[in-house]
Structure formats: C-alpha cells, structure tokens
Coordinates of all heavy atoms in Angstrom, one line a residue:
M249 N -24.9 53.2 5.3 CA -24.4 51.9 5.5 C -24.3 51.5 6.9 O -24.4 50.3 7.2 CB -23.0 51.9 4.9 CG -22.9 51.6 3.4 SD -23.9 50.2 3.0 CE -23.0 49.5 1.7
P250 N -24.2 52.4 7.9 CA -24.2 52.0 9.3 C -25.5 51.3 9.7 O -25.4 50.4 10.5 CB -23.9 53.3 10.1 CG -23.6 54.3 9.1 CD -24.0 53.9 7.8
K251 N -26.6 51.7 9.1 CA -27.9 51.1 9.5 C -27.9 49.6 9.0 O -28.3 48.7 9.7 CB -29.0 51.8 8.9 CG -29.3 53.1 9.6 CD -30.6 53.8 9.0 CE -30.9 55.1 9.6 NZ -32.1 55.7 9.1
L252 N -27.4 49.4 7.7 CA -27.3 48.1 7.2 C -26.4 47.2 8.0 O -26.7 46.0 8.3 CB -26.9 48.1 5.7 CG -26.7 46.8 5.0 CD1 -28.1 46.1 4.9 CD2 -26.2 47.0 3.6
D253 N -25.2 47.7 8.4 CA -24.3 47.0 9.2 C -24.9 46.6 10.5 O -24.7 45.5 11.0 CB -23.0 47.8 9.4 CG -22.2 47.9 8.1 OD1 -22.4 47.1 7.2 OD2 -21.4 48.8 8.1
A254 N -25.7 47.5 11.1 CA -26.3 47.2 12.4 C -27.4 46.1 12.2 O -27.5 45.2 13.1 CB -26.9 48.5 13.0
L255 N -28.2 46.2 11.2 CA -29.2 45.2 10.9 C -28.5 43.8 10.7 O -29.0 42.8 11.2 CB -30.0 45.6 9.7 CG -31.0 46.7 9.9 CD1 -31.7 47.1 8.6 CD2 -32.1 46.2 11.0
L256 N -27.5 43.8 9.9 CA -26.8 42.5 9.6 C -26.2 41.9 10.9 O -26.2 40.7 11.1 CB -25.7 42.7 8.6 CG -26.2 42.9 7.1 CD1 -25.0 43.2 6.2 CD2 -26.9 41.7 6.6
R257 N -25.6 42.8 11.8 CA -25.1 42.3 13.0 C -26.1 41.7 13.9 O -26.0 40.7 14.5 CB -24.4 43.5 13.8 CG -23.6 43.1 15.0 CD -22.8 44.2 15.7 NE -22.2 45.2 14.8 CZ -22.7 46.4 14.6 NH1 -23.7 46.9 15.4 NH2 -22.1 47.3 13.8
K258 N -27.3 42.4 14.0 CA -28.5 41.8 14.8 C -28.9 40.5 14.2 O -29.2 39.5 14.9 CB -29.6 42.8 14.8 CG -29.5 44.0 15.7 CD -30.7 44.9 15.6 CE -30.5 46.1 16.4 NZ -31.7 47.0 16.4
Y259 N -29.0 40.4 12.9 CA -29.4 39.1 12.2 C -28.4 38.0 12.5 O -28.8 36.9 12.8 CB -29.5 39.3 10.7 CG -29.9 38.1 10.0 CD1 -31.2 37.6 10.1 CD2 -29.0 37.4 9.2 CE1 -31.6 36.5 9.4 CE2 -29.4 36.2 8.6 CZ -30.7 35.8 8.7 OH -31.1 34.6 8.0
R260 N -27.1 38.4 12.5 CA -26.1 37.4 12.8 C -26.2 36.9 14.2 O -26.0 35.7 14.5 CB -24.7 38.0 12.5 CG -23.6 37.0 12.5 CD -22.2 37.5 12.1 NE -22.2 38.7 11.3 CZ -21.7 39.9 11.6 NH1 -21.0 40.0 12.7 NH2 -21.7 40.9 10.8
E261 N -26.4 37.8 15.1 CA -26.5 37.4 16.5 C -27.7 36.5 16.8 O -27.7 35.6 17.6 CB -26.6 38.7 17.4 CG -25.3 39.4 17.5 CD -25.5 40.8 18.1 OE1 -26.6 41.2 18.5 OE2 -24.4 41.5 18.2
R262 N -28.8 36.8 16.1 CA -30.0 36.0 16.3 C -29.9 34.6 15.7 O -30.4 33.6 16.2 CB -31.2 36.6 15.6 CG -31.9 37.7 16.3 CD -33.1 38.1 15.6 NE -33.7 39.3 16.1 CZ -34.7 40.0 15.6 NH1 -35.2 39.5 14.5 NH2 -35.1 41.1 16.1
T263 N -29.2 34.5 14.6 CA -29.1 33.2 13.9 C -27.8 32.5 14.1 O -27.4 31.5 13.5 CB -29.2 33.4 12.4 OG1 -28.2 34.3 11.9 CG2 -30.6 33.9 12.0
A264 N -27.0 33.0 15.0 CA -25.7 32.4 15.3 C -25.9 30.9 15.8 O -26.7 30.7 16.7 CB -24.9 33.2 16.3
C265 N -25.2 30.0 15.3 CA -25.2 28.6 15.7 C -23.8 28.2 16.0 O -23.0 27.9 15.0 CB -25.9 27.8 14.6 SG -26.0 26.0 15.0
D266 N -23.5 28.0 17.2 CA -22.2 27.6 17.6 C -22.3 26.3 18.4 O -22.3 26.3 19.6 CB -21.4 28.7 18.4 CG -21.1 29.9 17.6 OD1 -20.9 29.7 16.4 OD2 -21.2 31.0 18.2
P267 N -22.5 25.1 17.7 CA -22.6 23.9 18.5 C -21.3 23.6 19.2 O -20.2 24.0 18.8 CB -22.9 22.9 17.5 CG -22.4 23.4 16.2 CD -22.5 24.9 16.3
V268 N -21.4 22.8 20.3 CA -20.2 22.4 21.0 C -19.3 21.6 20.1 O -18.1 21.8 20.1 CB -20.6 21.6 22.3 CG1 -19.4 21.1 23.0 CG2 -21.5 22.4 23.2
E269 N -19.8 20.6 19.4 CA -19.1 19.8 18.4 C -19.5 20.2 17.0 O -20.7 20.3 16.8 CB -19.3 18.3 18.7 CG -18.7 17.8 20.0 CD -18.9 16.3 20.1 OE1 -18.9 15.6 19.1 OE2 -19.1 15.9 21.3
P270 N -18.6 20.3 16.1 CA -19.0 20.7 14.8 C -19.8 19.6 14.1 O -19.5 18.4 14.2 CB -17.7 20.9 14.0 CG -16.7 21.0 15.1 CD -17.2 20.4 16.3
V271 N -20.9 19.9 13.5 CA -21.8 19.0 12.9 C -21.1 18.3 11.7 O -21.3 17.1 11.5 CB -23.1 19.7 12.4 CG1 -24.0 18.8 11.7 CG2 -23.8 20.3 13.6
E272 N -20.3 19.0 11.0 CA -19.6 18.4 9.8 C -18.8 17.3 10.2 O -18.7 16.3 9.5 CB -18.8 19.5 9.1 CG -19.6 20.6 8.5 CD -19.9 21.8 9.4 OE1 -19.3 21.7 10.6 OE2 -20.6 22.6 9.1
L273 N -18.1 17.4 11.4 CA -17.2 16.3 11.8 C -18.0 15.0 12.2 O -17.6 13.9 11.9 CB -16.4 16.7 13.0 CG -15.3 17.8 12.7 CD1 -14.6 18.2 13.9 CD2 -14.4 17.4 11.6
K274 N -19.2 15.2 12.8 CA -20.0 14.1 13.1 C -20.5 13.4 11.8 O -20.5 12.2 11.7 CB -21.3 14.6 13.9 CG -21.0 14.9 15.3 CD -22.3 15.3 16.0 CE -22.1 15.8 17.4 NZ -23.3 16.1 18.0
V275 N -20.9 14.2 10.8 CA -21.4 13.7 9.6 C -20.3 12.9 8.9 O -20.5 11.8 8.4 CB -22.0 14.8 8.7 CG1 -22.3 14.3 7.3 CG2 -23.2 15.4 9.3
L276 N -19.1 13.5 8.8 CA -18.0 12.9 8.2 C -17.6 11.6 8.9 O -17.3 10.6 8.2 CB -16.8 13.8 8.1 CG -16.9 14.9 7.1 CD1 -15.7 15.9 7.3 CD2 -16.9 14.4 5.7
A277 N -17.7 11.5 10.2 CA -17.4 10.3 10.9 C -18.4 9.2 10.6 O -18.1 8.1 10.4 CB -17.4 10.6 12.4
R278 N -19.7 9.6 10.5 CA -20.7 8.6 10.2 C -20.5 8.1 8.8 O -20.7 6.9 8.5 CB -22.1 9.3 10.3 CG -22.7 9.1 11.7 CD -24.1 9.4 11.7 NE -24.3 10.7 12.3 CZ -25.3 11.5 12.1 NH1 -26.3 11.2 11.3 NH2 -25.4 12.7 12.7
L279 N -20.2 9.0 7.8 CA -19.9 8.5 6.5 C -18.7 7.6 6.4 O -18.8 6.6 5.7 CB -19.7 9.7 5.5 CG -20.9 10.6 5.2 CD1 -20.5 11.8 4.4 CD2 -21.9 9.8 4.4
R280 N -17.7 7.9 7.1 CA -16.5 7.0 7.1 C -16.9 5.6 7.7 O -16.4 4.6 7.2 CB -15.4 7.6 7.9 CG -14.6 8.6 7.1 CD -13.3 9.0 7.9 NE -13.0 10.4 7.6 CZ -13.2 11.4 8.4 NH1 -13.6 11.2 9.6 NH2 -12.9 12.6 8.0
D281 N -17.7 5.6 8.8 CA -18.1 4.3 9.4 C -18.9 3.5 8.4 O -18.8 2.3 8.3 CB -18.9 4.6 10.7 CG -18.0 5.1 11.8 OD1 -16.8 5.0 11.7 OD2 -18.6 5.7 12.7
R282 N -19.8 4.2 7.7 CA -20.7 3.5 6.7 C -19.8 3.0 5.6 O -20.1 1.9 5.1 CB -21.7 4.5 6.2 CG -22.8 3.8 5.4 CD -23.9 4.7 5.0 NE -24.6 5.2 6.2 CZ -25.5 6.2 6.2 NH1 -25.7 6.8 5.0 NH2 -26.1 6.6 7.3
E283 N -18.8 3.7 5.1 CA -18.0 3.2 4.0 C -17.1 2.1 4.5 O -16.9 1.1 3.7 CB -17.1 4.4 3.5 CG -17.8 5.4 2.7 CD -16.8 6.5 2.2 OE1 -15.6 6.4 2.5 OE2 -17.3 7.4 1.6
A284 N -16.7 2.1 5.7 CA -15.8 1.0 6.2 C -16.6 -0.3 6.3 O -16.1 -1.4 6.2 CB -15.3 1.4 7.6
A285 N -17.9 -0.2 6.5 CA -18.8 -1.4 6.7 C -19.3 -1.9 5.3 O -20.0 -2.9 5.3 CB -19.9 -1.1 7.7
S286 N -19.0 -1.2 4.2 CA -19.6 -1.6 2.9 C -18.9 -2.8 2.4 O -17.8 -3.1 2.8 CB -19.5 -0.4 2.0 OG -18.2 -0.2 1.6
V287 N -19.5 -3.4 1.4 CA -19.0 -4.6 0.8 C -17.7 -4.3 0.0 O -16.7 -5.1 0.1 CB -20.0 -5.3 -0.1 CG1 -19.5 -6.5 -0.9 CG2 -21.3 -5.7 0.7
G288 N -17.7 -3.2 -0.7 CA -16.5 -2.8 -1.4 C -15.3 -2.6 -0.5 O -14.2 -2.9 -0.9
A289 N -15.5 -2.0 0.6 CA -14.4 -1.7 1.5 C -13.9 -3.0 2.1 O -12.7 -3.2 2.3 CB -14.8 -0.8 2.6
I290 N -14.8 -4.0 2.4 CA -14.4 -5.3 2.9 C -13.6 -6.0 1.9 O -12.6 -6.7 2.1 CB -15.6 -6.0 3.4 CG1 -16.2 -5.3 4.7 CG2 -15.2 -7.5 3.8 CD1 -17.5 -5.9 5.1
A291 N -14.1 -6.0 0.6 CA -13.4 -6.7 -0.5 C -12.1 -6.1 -0.8 O -11.2 -6.8 -1.3 CB -14.3 -6.7 -1.7
A292 N -11.8 -4.8 -0.5 CA -10.6 -4.2 -0.8 C -9.5 -4.4 0.3 O -8.4 -4.0 0.1 CB -10.8 -2.7 -1.0
R293 N -9.9 -5.0 1.4 CA -8.9 -5.3 2.4 C -7.9 -6.3 2.0 O -8.2 -7.2 1.2 CB -9.6 -5.8 3.7 CG -10.4 -4.7 4.3 CD -11.0 -5.2 5.6 NE -11.9 -4.2 6.2 CZ -12.9 -4.4 7.0 NH1 -13.2 -5.7 7.4 NH2 -13.6 -3.5 7.5
P294 N -6.6 -6.1 2.4 CA -5.6 -7.0 1.9 C -5.8 -8.5 2.3 O -5.4 -9.4 1.6 CB -4.3 -6.5 2.6 CG -4.6 -5.1 2.9 CD -6.1 -5.0 3.1
A295 N -6.5 -8.7 3.4 CA -6.8 -10.1 3.8 C -7.8 -10.8 2.9 O -7.8 -12.0 2.8 CB -7.2 -10.2 5.3
F296 N -8.6 -10.0 2.2 CA -9.7 -10.6 1.4 C -9.2 -10.8 0.0 O -9.9 -11.5 -0.8 CB -10.9 -9.7 1.5 CG -12.1 -10.2 0.8 CD1 -12.8 -11.3 1.4 CD2 -12.6 -9.7 -0.4 CE1 -13.9 -11.8 0.8 CE2 -13.7 -10.3 -1.0 CZ -14.4 -11.3 -0.4
R297 N -8.2 -10.1 -0.5 CA -7.8 -10.1 -1.9 C -7.5 -11.6 -2.4 O -7.9 -11.9 -3.4 CB -6.6 -9.2 -2.1 CG -7.0 -7.8 -2.1 CD -5.9 -6.8 -2.4 NE -6.3 -5.5 -2.1 CZ -5.5 -4.5 -1.7 NH1 -4.2 -4.8 -1.6 NH2 -5.9 -3.3 -1.5
P298 N -6.7 -12.4 -1.6 CA -6.4 -13.7 -2.2 C -7.7 -14.6 -2.3 O -7.8 -15.3 -3.2 CB -5.5 -14.3 -1.1 CG -4.9 -13.2 -0.4 CD -5.9 -12.1 -0.4
V299 N -8.6 -14.4 -1.4 CA -9.9 -15.1 -1.5 C -10.7 -14.7 -2.7 O -11.2 -15.5 -3.5 CB -10.7 -14.9 -0.2 CG1 -12.1 -15.5 -0.3 CG2 -10.0 -15.4 1.0
A300 N -10.7 -13.4 -3.0 CA -11.4 -12.8 -4.2 C -10.7 -13.3 -5.4 O -11.4 -13.7 -6.4 CB -11.4 -11.3 -4.1
M301 N -9.4 -13.4 -5.5 CA -8.6 -13.9 -6.6 C -8.9 -15.3 -6.8 O -9.1 -15.8 -8.0 CB -7.1 -13.6 -6.5 CG -6.8 -12.1 -6.6 SD -5.1 -11.6 -6.2 CE -4.1 -13.0 -6.8
A302 N -8.9 -16.1 -5.8 CA -9.2 -17.6 -5.9 C -10.6 -17.8 -6.4 O -10.9 -18.7 -7.2 CB -8.9 -18.3 -4.6
G303 N -11.6 -17.0 -5.9 CA -12.9 -17.1 -6.3 C -13.1 -16.8 -7.8 O -13.8 -17.5 -8.5
G304 N -12.4 -15.7 -8.2 CA -12.5 -15.4 -9.7 C -11.9 -16.5 -10.5 O -12.4 -16.8 -11.6
F305 N -10.7 -17.0 -10.1 CA -10.1 -18.1 -10.8 C -11.0 -19.3 -10.9 O -11.2 -19.9 -12.0 CB -8.8 -18.5 -10.1 CG -8.0 -19.5 -10.8 CD1 -7.4 -19.3 -12.0 CD2 -7.9 -20.8 -10.3 CE1 -6.6 -20.3 -12.6 CE2 -7.2 -21.8 -10.9 CZ -6.6 -21.5 -12.1
F306 N -11.7 -19.7 -9.8 CA -12.6 -20.8 -9.8 C -13.8 -20.6 -10.7 O -14.2 -21.5 -11.4 CB -13.0 -21.1 -8.3 CG -14.0 -22.2 -8.2 CD1 -13.6 -23.5 -8.4 CD2 -15.4 -22.0 -8.0 CE1 -14.5 -24.6 -8.3 CE2 -16.3 -23.0 -7.9 CZ -15.8 -24.3 -8.1
M307 N -14.3 -19.4 -10.7 CA -15.4 -19.0 -11.6 C -15.0 -19.1 -13.0 O -15.8 -19.6 -13.9 CB -16.0 -17.7 -11.3 CG -16.8 -17.6 -10.0 SD -17.4 -16.0 -9.4 CE -17.2 -14.9 -10.7
G308 N -13.8 -18.7 -13.3 CA -13.3 -18.9 -14.7 C -13.1 -20.3 -15.1 O -13.5 -20.7 -16.2
L309 N -12.6 -21.1 -14.2 CA -12.5 -22.6 -14.5 C -13.8 -23.2 -14.7 O -14.0 -24.1 -15.6 CB -11.7 -23.3 -13.4 CG -10.2 -23.0 -13.3 CD1 -9.7 -23.8 -12.1 CD2 -9.6 -23.5 -14.6
V310 N -14.8 -22.8 -13.9 CA -16.1 -23.4 -14.1 C -16.7 -23.0 -15.4 O -17.3 -23.8 -16.1 CB -17.1 -23.0 -12.9 CG1 -18.5 -23.3 -13.2 CG2 -16.6 -23.7 -11.6
A311 N -16.5 -21.7 -15.8 CA -17.1 -21.2 -17.1 C -16.4 -21.9 -18.2 O -17.1 -22.3 -19.2 CB -16.9 -19.7 -17.2
V312 N -15.1 -22.1 -18.2 CA -14.4 -22.8 -19.2 C -14.8 -24.3 -19.3 O -14.9 -24.9 -20.3 CB -12.9 -22.7 -19.1 CG1 -12.1 -23.6 -20.0 CG2 -12.5 -21.2 -19.3
G313 N -15.1 -24.9 -18.1 CA -15.5 -26.3 -18.1 C -16.9 -26.5 -18.6 O -17.2 -27.5 -19.2
F314 N -17.8 -25.5 -18.5 CA -19.2 -25.7 -18.9 C -19.3 -25.3 -20.4 O -20.3 -25.6 -21.0 CB -20.1 -24.9 -18.1 CG -20.4 -25.5 -16.7 CD1 -20.4 -24.7 -15.6 CD2 -20.7 -26.9 -16.6 CE1 -20.7 -25.3 -14.4 CE2 -20.9 -27.4 -15.4 CZ -20.9 -26.6 -14.3
A315 N -18.4 -24.6 -21.0 CA -18.5 -24.1 -22.3 C -18.6 -25.3 -23.3 O -19.5 -25.2 -24.2 CB -17.4 -23.2 -22.7
P316 N -17.7 -26.3 -23.2 CA -17.9 -27.4 -24.2 C -19.2 -28.2 -24.0 O -19.7 -28.7 -25.0 CB -16.7 -28.3 -23.9 CG -15.7 -27.5 -23.2 CD -16.5 -26.4 -22.5
L317 N -19.7 -28.2 -22.8 CA -21.0 -28.9 -22.6 C -22.2 -28.1 -23.2 O -23.2 -28.8 -23.5 CB -21.2 -29.1 -21.1 CG -20.1 -30.0 -20.4 CD1 -20.4 -30.0 -18.9 CD2 -20.1 -31.4 -21.0
A318 N -22.0 -26.8 -23.3 CA -23.1 -26.0 -23.8 C -23.2 -26.0 -25.3 O -24.3 -25.8 -25.9 CB -23.0 -24.6 -23.3
T319 N -22.1 -26.3 -26.0 CA -22.1 -26.4 -27.4 C -22.2 -27.8 -27.9 O -21.6 -28.7 -27.3 CB -20.9 -25.7 -28.0 OG1 -19.7 -26.3 -27.5 CG2 -20.9 -24.2 -27.6
T320 N -22.8 -28.0 -29.1 CA -22.8 -29.4 -29.6 C -21.6 -29.6 -30.6 O -21.2 -28.6 -31.2 CB -24.1 -29.6 -30.4 OG1 -24.2 -28.6 -31.4 CG2 -25.3 -29.5 -29.5
A321 N -21.1 -30.8 -30.7 CA -20.0 -31.1 -31.6 C -20.3 -31.0 -33.0 O -19.5 -30.8 -33.9 CB -19.4 -32.4 -31.2
T322 N -21.6 -31.3 -33.4 CA -22.0 -31.3 -34.8 C -22.4 -29.9 -35.3 O -22.7 -29.8 -36.5 CB -23.1 -32.3 -35.0 OG1 -24.2 -31.9 -34.2 CG2 -22.7 -33.7 -34.6
A323 N -22.4 -28.9 -34.5 CA -22.9 -27.6 -34.9 C -21.8 -27.0 -35.8 O -20.6 -27.0 -35.5 CB -23.1 -26.7 -33.7
S324 N -22.3 -26.6 -37.0 CA -21.3 -25.9 -37.9 C -21.4 -24.4 -37.8 O -22.4 -23.9 -37.5 CB -21.7 -26.3 -39.4 OG -23.0 -25.8 -39.7
V325 N -20.2 -23.8 -38.0 CA -20.1 -22.4 -37.9 C -20.0 -21.9 -39.3 O -18.9 -22.0 -39.9 CB -18.9 -22.0 -37.0 CG1 -18.8 -20.5 -36.9 CG2 -19.0 -22.7 -35.7
P326 N -21.0 -21.3 -39.9 CA -20.9 -21.0 -41.4 C -19.9 -19.9 -41.7 O -19.3 -19.9 -42.7 CB -22.3 -20.5 -41.7 CG -23.0 -20.2 -40.4 CD -22.3 -21.0 -39.4
E327 N -19.7 -19.0 -40.8 CA -18.7 -17.9 -41.1 C -17.3 -18.4 -41.1 O -16.4 -17.8 -41.7 CB -18.9 -16.7 -40.2 CG -18.7 -17.0 -38.7 CD -20.0 -17.2 -38.0 OE1 -21.1 -17.2 -38.7 OE2 -20.0 -17.5 -36.8
L328 N -17.0 -19.5 -40.4 CA -15.7 -20.1 -40.4 C -15.5 -21.3 -41.4 O -14.5 -21.9 -41.4 CB -15.3 -20.5 -39.0 CG -15.2 -19.4 -38.0 CD1 -14.9 -20.0 -36.6 CD2 -14.1 -18.4 -38.4
A329 N -16.5 -21.6 -42.1 CA -16.5 -22.7 -43.0 C -15.5 -22.5 -44.2 O -15.0 -23.5 -44.7 CB -17.9 -23.0 -43.7
V330 N -15.1 -21.3 -44.4 CA -14.1 -21.0 -45.4 C -12.7 -21.6 -45.0 O -11.9 -22.0 -45.9 CB -13.9 -19.5 -45.6 CG1 -12.9 -19.2 -46.6 CG2 -15.3 -18.9 -46.0
F331 N -12.5 -21.7 -43.7 CA -11.2 -22.2 -43.3 C -11.2 -23.7 -42.9 O -10.3 -24.2 -42.3 CB -10.7 -21.4 -42.1 CG -10.6 -19.9 -42.4 CD1 -11.5 -19.0 -41.9 CD2 -9.6 -19.4 -43.2 CE1 -11.4 -17.6 -42.2 CE2 -9.4 -18.1 -43.5 CZ -10.4 -17.2 -43.0
A332 N -12.3 -24.4 -43.2 CA -12.4 -25.8 -42.8 C -11.4 -26.6 -43.7 O -11.0 -26.2 -44.8 CB -13.8 -26.3 -43.1
P333 N -10.9 -27.7 -43.1 CA -10.0 -28.5 -43.9 C -10.5 -29.1 -45.2 O -9.7 -29.3 -46.1 CB -9.6 -29.7 -43.0 CG -10.1 -29.3 -41.6 CD -11.1 -28.2 -41.8
D334 N -11.8 -29.2 -45.3 CA -12.4 -29.8 -46.5 C -13.0 -28.7 -47.4 O -13.9 -29.0 -48.3 CB -13.4 -30.9 -46.2 CG -14.5 -30.4 -45.3 OD1 -14.3 -29.3 -44.7 OD2 -15.5 -31.1 -45.1
A335 N -12.7 -27.5 -47.2 CA -13.2 -26.4 -48.0 C -12.8 -26.5 -49.5 O -11.6 -26.8 -49.7 CB -12.9 -25.0 -47.4
P336 N -13.6 -26.3 -50.5 CA -13.2 -26.6 -51.9 C -12.2 -25.5 -52.4 O -11.4 -25.8 -53.3 CB -14.5 -26.5 -52.6 CG -15.5 -25.8 -51.8 CD -15.0 -26.0 -50.3
N337 N -12.3 -24.3 -51.9 CA -11.4 -23.2 -52.4 C -10.2 -22.9 -51.5 O -9.7 -21.8 -51.5 CB -12.2 -22.0 -52.7 CG -13.3 -22.2 -53.7 OD1 -13.0 -22.9 -54.7 ND2 -14.4 -21.5 -53.6
L338 N -9.7 -23.9 -50.8 CA -8.6 -23.7 -49.9 C -7.3 -23.6 -50.8 O -7.1 -24.3 -51.8 CB -8.4 -24.9 -49.0 CG -7.9 -24.7 -47.6 CD1 -8.9 -23.8 -46.9 CD2 -7.6 -25.9 -46.9
P339 N -6.4 -22.6 -50.5 CA -5.2 -22.4 -51.3 C -4.4 -23.7 -51.4 O -3.8 -23.9 -52.5 CB -4.5 -21.3 -50.6 CG -5.5 -20.6 -49.9 CD -6.6 -21.6 -49.5
S340 N -4.4 -24.5 -50.4 CA -3.6 -25.8 -50.5 C -4.1 -26.7 -51.5 O -3.4 -27.5 -52.1 CB -3.5 -26.4 -49.1 OG -4.8 -26.8 -48.7
T341 N -5.4 -26.7 -51.8 CA -6.0 -27.5 -52.9 C -5.7 -27.0 -54.2 O -5.7 -27.7 -55.2 CB -7.5 -27.7 -52.7 OG1 -8.1 -26.4 -52.7 CG2 -7.8 -28.4 -51.4
W342 N -5.5 -25.7 -54.3 CA -5.2 -25.1 -55.6 C -3.8 -25.4 -56.1 O -3.5 -25.4 -57.3 CB -5.3 -23.6 -55.5 CG -6.7 -23.1 -55.4 CD1 -7.9 -23.8 -55.5 CD2 -7.1 -21.7 -55.1 NE1 -9.0 -23.0 -55.3 CE2 -8.5 -21.7 -55.1 CE3 -6.4 -20.6 -54.9 CZ2 -9.2 -20.6 -54.8 CZ3 -7.1 -19.4 -54.7 CH2 -8.5 -19.4 -54.6
L343 N -2.9 -25.7 -55.1 CA -1.5 -25.9 -55.5 C -1.3 -27.2 -56.3 O -0.5 -27.2 -57.2 CB -0.6 -26.0 -54.2 CG -0.5 -24.7 -53.4 CD1 0.3 -25.0 -52.2 CD2 0.2 -23.6 -54.3
G344 N -2.1 -28.2 -56.1 CA -2.0 -29.4 -56.8 C -2.7 -29.4 -58.1 O -2.5 -30.3 -59.0
Q345 N -3.5 -28.4 -58.4 CA -4.3 -28.4 -59.6 C -3.5 -27.7 -60.7 O -2.8 -26.7 -60.5 CB -5.6 -27.7 -59.4 CG -6.5 -28.4 -58.5 CD -7.8 -27.6 -58.2 OE1 -8.0 -26.5 -58.7 NE2 -8.7 -28.1 -57.4
T346 N -3.7 -28.1 -61.9 CA -3.1 -27.5 -63.1 C -4.1 -27.1 -64.1 O -5.1 -27.8 -64.2 CB -2.0 -28.4 -63.8 OG1 -2.7 -29.6 -64.2 CG2 -0.9 -28.6 -62.8
K347 N -4.0 -26.0 -64.7 CA -5.0 -25.6 -65.7 C -4.6 -26.2 -67.0 O -3.5 -26.3 -67.4 CB -5.0 -24.1 -65.9 CG -5.6 -23.4 -64.7 CD -5.7 -21.9 -65.0 CE -6.4 -21.2 -63.9 NZ -6.6 -19.8 -64.2
K348 N -5.6 -26.7 -67.8 CA -5.4 -27.3 -69.1 C -6.1 -26.5 -70.1 O -7.0 -25.9 -70.0 CB -5.9 -28.8 -69.1 CG -5.0 -29.6 -68.2 CD -5.5 -31.0 -68.3 CE -4.7 -31.9 -67.4 NZ -5.1 -33.2 -67.4

C-alpha cells in the first residue's frame, strides 16, 4: 500500500489546481446576474406587479368585449336546445296539460 499511496500523492501534486478565486463562485455569480436580467425576474419585481395585473385585467376585458362580436346571434346551440323557452318537452309545459 505504501507504493500506491506514493503514486496517488504524486498524481495529486501534478494535478493540483488551486486557483486564486474559486471557479464555482465566479460561475454562480454569472448565473445570478443572468437570472436577474431575465424577463421572469423583472416581472416578479414588486414595482412591476401592478402593471402586470393591470395588463392582465385589460386583456381580459378585451377578450370579453370581442366574444359577442365573434359569435352570431342567430346561431343555435343544439346541445342546449332542451333548455330553450320554447322547447316542447319543458316541465313547465307539462304542468298545464291533462291526460284524457
């Protein structure tokens, strides 16, 4: 085992890498800077939240405003025709009928 320990010690001495500044810290700092400049990070800032909420509210109002324009008034919905006021088998129409 002493020969193996000596070989491992020599290998460690040859491949030792002791940079002045740790590489991991540089990489982490770059990643944090990149995340801080991303769109998601900017949108999550407290100053941007009211603007995002107002934008979402406005988009909802626009979508609701355009929905009646996209559908026609004469279009019938066959699956809901059972509940139409003039449906022949409506329970309210059965109440007035008597069997003879």
